[in-house]
Amino acid sequence: MKPARTALAVLALVVLALTGCSSRGATDDRTPLARPLTTAEADRAALARFSTYRRGTGDVTMTIPYRGSTVTLTGRVDWRRHLGYAELHSDTTPPARELIQWNASTVATRPQWTGGLPQLPPEDAWQAHRLTPHTSPIDAALLLLLGLGSDRPDNAQLLARSSARWIKEDHVGTTPVTLIAGPGTSGPGTDPNRPGNTRYWIDHEGGLLRFSARAGGETRWMTADLPRHGTAALPSPVPALGES
């Protein structure tokens, strides 16, 4: 019988599958101070993705390492509808910008965008393609953002017994948070005490305020900030996006 996995462990597996990343080399947080989660920490970690889902829609800012540069995503995600809407811009010379909408299977883009994130997207000039997360770090990041919401809490008891680790007490802005390394993978040749390629900054109520994941072949991490203030609902999907 295969051991039960928590939702956070499943998300760690998704990171590995999307980025082709080995768990080796992802141990920069495996310090003498890192330790297993306490019961209270596991309880809060179990609520992280559920608290995001309960918010419905939230603002997101994410930095994504990409081919030696950094792409910044600024927009909103609806974790119940599995839908995102954002502007992407790179730090290349000249910088590239585009407007995007995406769901769990497809991303629609409007290249050469210069107008910020409008409340209602323009109706024309959209191009759509299927997400290719195995070959595109940006597509992998889009899919991971949608995966940060879950319609039920995780299993706190399994988390406490997993390779998830407390790293340190920290702050996101002025909010106190606990930094937790998500569970690693299990199987032949793996270290059961080795944390995975995901990091969660969780407040004292179980709210997820920041998330990081290691992209395949990258020494840097993609990092998303999820402020908890209210935000506007997402506009309806543009026709080019279709249905998820």
Side-chain angles (χ1 to χ4, degrees), residues 106-212:
T106 307
V107 57
T109 65
R110 201 175 191 280
Q112 300 178 346
W113 180 254
T114 59
L117 188 68
Q119 182 63 31
L120 294 176
E123 297 181 356
D124 61 348
W126 289 90
Q127 305 170 10
H129 69 263
R130 303 287 290 183
L131 287 172
T132 55
H134 294 86
T135 58
S136 167
I138 294 176
D139 286 2
L142 298 181
L143 204 53
L144 285 170
L145 280 176
L146 298 184
L148 293 181
S150 174
D151 62 0
R152 66 198 66 186
D154 210 333
N155 187 313
Q157 292 182 343
L158 289 180
L159 269 177
R161 298 197 299 266
S162 74
S163 58
R165 290 292 184 268
W166 172 92
I167 300 299
K168 64 179 180 178
E169 297 303 310
D170 201 357
H171 285 80
V172 174
T174 59
T175 303
V177 294
T178 300
L179 173 56
I180 291 174
T185 57
S186 60
T190 61
D191 182 347
N193 296 314
R194 187 187 298 273
N197 296 309
T198 53
R199 302 291 181 266
Y200 302 84
W201 284 255
I202 301 170
D203 69 18
H204 292 169
E205 297 178 354
L208 179 61
L209 300 187
R210 181 173 291 163
F211 168 80
S212 285

